[in-house]
Amino acid sequence: GEESRVRILHLVLRTGQMCIADLELILDFTQTKTSRHLAYLKAAGLVRGKKVDQWMYYQVSPGYTDVLERLFGMMKKDAQLITDIKTYRT
């Protein structure tokens, strides 16, 4: 898979939901790049958006949580994914 989309999926799965602005800061992506990757993930049915006031929050679509948990469980030592979560927590 595309590394950027894997990173986005990992963050959304681990945090429960994220908005584009948070993803941009953590991943150091532009708004355009972040939106484009989220659009791909949404079109594939892997994530869904929920609008809260002016913010759009993305979450993993029901039915994909278990498979993504298993996938990311196999990648738990990936340095980039670990760094992304550490950045989120800061």
Side-chain angles (χ1 to χ4, degrees), residues 17-60:
Q17 67 178 8
M18 293 202 80
C19 67
I20 290 178
D22 290 337
L23 287 166
E24 287 174 41
L25 289 172
I26 294 166
L27 302 171
D28 196 28
F29 291 171
T30 64
Q31 190 273 332
T32 303
K33 181 176 181 177
T34 308
S35 294
R36 182 178 68 243
H37 286 299
L38 281 165
Y40 292 143
L41 292 169
K42 194 172 178 183
L46 293 168
V47 298
R48 63 183 181 170
K50 178 178 81 171
K51 190 159 176 98
V52 178
D53 297 324
Q54 75 270 19
W55 298 99
M56 181 68 81
Y57 288 89
Y58 291 89
Q59 350 178 258
V60 172

Side-chain angles (χ1 to χ4, degrees), residues 2-11 14 26-27 68 71-89:
E2 216 298 329
E3 181 183 343
S4 299
R5 291 190 281 275
V6 170
R7 291 174 69 195
I8 290 170
L9 269 176
H10 182 255
L11 282 165
R14 293 292 177 240
I26 294 166
L27 302 171
L68 289 174
L71 172 71
F72 288 122
M74 291 183 275
M75 299 171 66
K76 63 184 170 195
K77 293 185 180 180
D78 182 273
Q80 184 62 67
L81 297 180
I82 292 168
T83 299
D84 289 345
I85 291 297
K86 284 181 181 176
T87 303
Y88 165 75
R89 290 181 180 148

